[in-house]
Amino acid sequence: MAARPVSRMLLRVLRSSVRSCSSGAPVMQPCPGESSQSATKELSRRRQFLREHPAPFSAFLTDSFGRQHSYLRISLTEKCNLRCQYCMPEEGVPLTPKADLLTTKEILTLARLFVKEGVDKIRLTGGEPLIRPDVVDIVAQLHQLQGLRTIGVTTNGINLARLLPQLQKAGLGAINISLDTLIPAKFEFIVRRKGFHKVMEGIHKAIDLGYSPVKINCVVMRGLNEDELLDFVALTEGLPLDVRFIEYMPFDGNKWNFKKMVSYKEMLDTLQQQWPELEKLPEEESSTAKTFKIPGFRGHISFITSMSEHFCGTCNRLRITADGNLKVCLFGSSEVSLRDHLRAGASEEELLRIIGAAVGRKKRQHAGMFNISQMKNRPMILIELFLILQDSPPAIPSISSRDPVHVQGLRHRVRFSNPMPTLWKGCWVSKSPRLAPQRLGSGSLQRHYSSHPDTDTNPECLSPMSQARATHSGPLPTSDRLTHVDTEGRAAMVDVGGKPDTERVAVASATVLLGPVAFKLVQENQLKKGDALVVAQLAGIQGAKLTSQLIPLCHHVALSHVQVQLQLDSTRHAVVIQASCRAQGPTGVEMEALTSAAVASLTLYDMCKAVSRDIVLGEIKLISKTGGQRGDFHRT
């Protein structure tokens, strides 16, 4: 977009009949008595001149490092029709009052100003932009802006199939659809809503309407979906998709953990082992993606390397949040309110000075992944949704099958992984060493659920064939009398006021023998009551937090962490539950862990009792405890 030299002669010829807008583009002035035919010729001359001699890029959108910001992302709303566990902080996000959000008129006013200064691409984001009632009208009015080449949208895909024909007619030119898993059960667990098949329908509708490529945004997070990399790539064999693997990034409230990030090079190595012929494609200077293609495949794949290999040096993006704040860097905490100046009656020139000052303060590059994780910034949903994963949702380390996985939705026959069981942290989960040709359809799923796959805590997962025995690390003196009775044998709570605060961790387990019929329904998530594993997992977490209300003489403990894992054991038609609790305090958390495991097992019974009354709850036991004066305990 750099300016080309314009001869003085051309300037003299045009000077008498042109004026300049702030970007320097010539604007023709009509002459008195000029015929419509002459005016049409003059307009044609102007357009030809602009094509051959682009005006210098706006100084207001050029920062101190020479980066020209021609790409604007506008958030239309903070609301979303999904409730993704990885998008918001655990405590939730307070939404901005409607009166403080940009109106449609304000959005278009700002868009018109930015386009006039040289922005040629606008992407509409959210929250979920397609839940805004006037989104089609906004696209149509943006499409009228001369100089705007591309209007895109980033969506979760739920409403896409219904709205896309209207959006395309209005002028929508590019589509990014966020999708982190190809497994319907995992999708439902992650977003806390149904809708996987609507997203698939939206992808197909985009392909049918001629969008190419249709971009799929997939944030890769260790323990959640890195085992699906090969499956996502397989989709590009026969479909015009650009699957974009995004490195997990830190935002306020998502408890970013470096150990959860799967780097670009690690992902690339995984793919090259399967497809050594993978070739890198040329990229535009301002591109954020490193793009690759497998020879013979219709689509391609990309990597967004914000953390491991930043692209700040060529960044050309600006963002306007739904409440009207301009962010010059996605990871920067500084913002300036364009809404307030707009509503105070600021002129176009004043707004440009404000925008120019903000752009001029943009730093050479962001602070780096470790420093970013310590900085205060908006939660991602309040900047633009998709898809920044958090470290401590009730997340799923793996939901996969020991048989070839089938996913409903995509019509093209793709090759999917034929997972082989491998031992991970002591638990059987699936790994995808090779691909086998399979049609995407319905199928059974081997499901493993974890409320918090925390790599810092590594309790031994339970093997149904293991033999249990107790071991102690260090001396473990036992009491010769019950601690919850006084000297006269009456029930009493132990006084822990004089004990030091130490970190206490306890792990307990339980086993629920379901029988073959109930087990199959749980495995395939076909129970009429809903997903038994998810409900039991949440019940186990709640049970741990309510232990002092259920067990009369237990102290109330402020738990810092609760983890509940449920593993399907097909050999015994059983669900093996493991609960881990952590706290800093003067008393242990054994009872919290045991209560958690017990409540989770009772919940499974309740979910399945309509199918079978021959369910057996058992093997509720303490696996390990650490911290406290009496030493550690481990059952191996």
Side-chain angles (χ1 to χ4, degrees):
M1 300 197 62
R4 299 176 185 173
V6 181
S7 70
R8 295 181 181 179
M9 183 179 295
L10 278 172
L11 287 175
R12 281 198 298 269
V13 170
L14 293 170
R15 188 170 292 155
S16 62
S17 59
V18 304
R19 59 183 174 84
S20 293
C21 67
S22 58
S23 65
V27 179
M28 306 305 300
Q29 296 279 19
C31 299
E34 184 178 37
S35 69
S36 59
Q37 186 176 5
S38 299
T40 302
K41 290 182 178 179
E42 201 63 48
L43 181 60
S44 177
R45 271 184 66 205
R46 173 188 174 239
R47 287 175 174 167
Q48 180 67 24
F49 177 85
L50 289 175
R51 281 194 295 269
E52 295 177 357
H53 306 93
F57 193 83
S58 170
F60 296 107
L61 301 185
T62 304
D63 66 18
S64 58
F65 302 100
R67 292 172 295 200
Q68 299 174 346
H69 296 81
S70 59
Y71 181 1
L72 179 66
R73 302 173 72 97
I74 303 175
S75 173
L76 297 185
T77 179
E78 295 174 350
K79 294 180 180 179
C80 186
N81 48 0
L82 299 181
R83 292 294 180 269
C84 300
Q85 299 182 28
Y86 48 71
C87 179
M88 304 184 193
E90 292 179 64
E91 63 274 14
V93 175
L95 296 177
T96 304
K98 184 177 180 180
D100 294 334
L101 298 175
L102 289 177
T103 64
T104 301
K105 182 179 179 181
E106 289 168 338
I107 289 172
L108 295 170
T109 297
L110 291 174
R112 190 175 297 111
L113 179 60
F114 276 90
V115 171
K116 183 179 177 182
E117 292 302 308
V119 163
D120 61 6
K121 180 177 181 180
I122 290 179
R123 178 167 296 278
L124 303 176
T125 67
E128 169 48 42
L130 299 191
I131 66 173
R132 181 156 176 146
D134 59 349
V135 62
V136 175
D137 183 54
I138 290 174
V139 171
Q141 294 196 56
L142 290 175
H143 188 57
Q144 301 301 314
L145 299 179
Q146 185 174 344
L148 185 59
R149 298 180 183 178
T150 305
I151 305 171
V153 67
T154 296
T155 172
N156 61 28
I158 297 295
N159 292 340
L160 185 60
R162 176 173 59 86
L163 292 175
L164 191 52
Q166 302 171 62
L167 289 167
Q168 185 181 52
K169 186 177 180 180
L172 185 70
I175 302 171
N176 286 38
I177 303 168
S178 294
L179 182 64
D180 294 319
T181 178
L182 297 171
I183 301 171
K186 188 192 289 188
F187 176 91
E188 186 175 334
F189 182 85
I190 291 173
V191 306
R192 302 189 183 101
R193 296 289 189 274
K194 296 182 182 297
F196 177 82
H197 301 295
K198 288 186 177 180
V199 178
M200 294 297 109
E201 184 184 359
I203 293 173
H204 281 303
K205 177 64 73 173
I207 294 172
D208 292 343
L209 291 177
Y211 287 92
S212 182
V214 177
K215 294 183 178 180
I216 305 296
N217 290 350
C218 176
V219 175
V220 181
M221 184 176 175
R222 197 179 311 282
L224 181 69
N225 62 352
E226 86 277 17
D227 60 333
E228 295 187 61
L229 285 172
L230 302 183
D231 299 336
F232 270 102
V233 175
L235 297 178
T236 68
E237 181 173 8
L239 297 172
L241 302 176
D242 177 8
V243 176
R244 296 149 57 90
F245 296 119
I246 303 173
E247 290 179 339
Y248 164 50
M249 296 177 277
F251 286 89
D252 192 27
N254 76 346
K255 297 186 178 179
W256 184 80
N257 186 334
F258 171 72
K259 297 176 182 178
K260 300 294 183 183
M261 190 196 80
V262 183
S263 71
Y264 147 63
K265 288 187 176 179
E266 183 180 346
M267 289 188 275
L268 182 61
D269 181 65
T270 298
L271 301 188
Q272 286 178 327
Q273 290 181 39
Q274 175 63 35
W275 293 286
E277 68 275 24
L278 193 68
E279 60 184 41
K280 193 173 189 301
L281 300 180
E283 58 193 55
E284 296 180 5
E285 183 182 6
S286 61
S287 174
T288 62
K290 295 176 173 62
T291 304
F292 293 77
K293 185 176 180 65
I294 300 170
F297 278 34
R298 189 177 174 189
H300 48 268
I301 58 173
S302 303
F303 299 91
I304 311 296
T305 63
S306 304
M307 296 293 95
S308 64
E309 296 183 18
H310 70 77
F311 32 80
C312 301
T314 58
C315 178
N316 69 338
R317 288 154 174 75
L318 299 173
R319 288 170 171 81
I320 297 177
T321 61
D323 56 353
N325 281 9
L326 175 66
K327 286 180 69 74
V328 297
C329 176
L330 177 62
F331 299 105
S333 57
S334 60
E335 302 177 1
V336 59
S337 176
L338 300 181
R339 177 203 64 201
D340 290 349
H341 291 286
L342 199 59
R343 293 181 181 180
S347 67
E348 184 176 296
E349 290 74 17
E350 289 170 332
L351 285 171
L352 286 175
R353 283 197 294 271
I354 293 163
I355 293 167
V359 172
R361 291 191 296 269
K362 185 171 180 176
K363 297 179 180 179
R364 181 184 293 274
Q365 64 186 60
H366 64 62
M369 57 182 148
F370 295 107
N371 290 331
I372 289 173
S373 65
Q374 305 299 318
M375 293 166 58
K376 188 69 175 175
N377 192 6
R378 290 181 181 231
M380 187 57 179
I381 194 170
L382 299 186
I383 304 173
E384 53 185 58
L385 187 61
F386 313 117
L387 270 145
I388 308 306
L389 297 176
Q390 73 180 42
D391 182 31
S392 58
I396 314 170
S398 176
I399 303 181
S400 51
S401 175
R402 301 192 190 181
D403 299 317
V405 177
H406 303 269
V407 178
Q408 292 179 338
L410 297 181
R411 303 183 201 118
H412 172 68
R413 181 185 295 271
V414 303
R415 295 182 297 163
F416 251 64
S417 58
N418 180 15
M420 296 176 59
T422 183
L423 196 62
W424 176 78
K425 289 177 64 178
C427 294
W428 285 103
V429 298
S430 65
K431 193 174 182 180
S432 301
R434 64 187 181 88
L435 296 181
Q438 293 292 339
R439 182 167 180 84
L440 294 173
S442 60
S444 62
L445 301 170
Q446 178 70 30
R447 304 189 295 147
H448 306 262
Y449 279 71
S450 168
S451 64
H452 184 50
D454 189 342
T455 53
D456 295 329
T457 304
N458 188 23
E460 293 293 323
C461 291
L462 300 179
S463 167
M465 305 303 293
S466 64
Q467 298 296 321
R469 67 177 187 276
T471 62
H472 311 293
S473 57
L476 182 62
T478 56
S479 174
D480 58 359
R481 66 182 183 86
L482 297 175
T483 57
H484 283 74
V485 294
D486 61 16
T487 55
E488 298 182 7
R490 292 173 299 191
M493 180 179 279
V494 175
D495 184 359
V496 297
K499 291 186 177 182
D501 284 355
T502 59
E503 186 178 70
R504 315 292 187 113
V505 179
V507 180
S509 69
T511 302
V512 182
L513 302 175
L514 293 173
V517 176
F519 179 87
K520 184 177 181 181
L521 291 174
V522 170
Q523 184 183 42
E524 297 178 359
N525 192 17
Q526 297 297 317
L527 287 172
K528 290 184 178 180
K529 283 191 174 183
D531 194 323
L533 297 181
V534 174
V535 177
Q537 177 194 69
L538 297 177
I541 296 171
Q542 191 70 5
K545 295 190 290 184
L546 295 175
T547 299
S548 64
Q549 299 178 41
L550 300 172
I551 312 298
L553 300 179
C554 277
H555 294 83
H556 175 71
V557 176
L559 294 168
S560 59
H561 173 77
V562 180
Q563 173 180 320
V564 178
Q565 295 177 319
L566 297 96
Q567 177 188 353
L568 296 178
D569 177 4
S570 58
T571 60
R572 296 192 294 168
H573 299 126
V575 178
V576 181
I577 301 165
Q578 180 172 279
S580 172
C581 296
R582 184 192 304 139
Q584 185 81 19
T587 186
V589 289
E590 297 98 315
M591 291 306 302
E592 282 72 14
L594 287 163
T595 302
S596 178
V599 171
S601 64
L602 288 168
T603 302
L604 276 175
Y605 183 96
D606 179 61
M607 296 287 288
C608 301
K609 67 179 186 293
V611 177
S612 172
R613 296 298 173 90
D614 192 27
I615 301 171
V616 178
L617 312 182
E619 301 180 14
I620 300 176
K621 58 193 174 187
L622 182 68
I623 299 299
S624 66
K625 67 171 288 289
T626 60
Q629 296 177 339
R630 294 200 298 142
D632 297 343
F633 166 84
H634 297 279
R635 188 191 306 271
T636 61

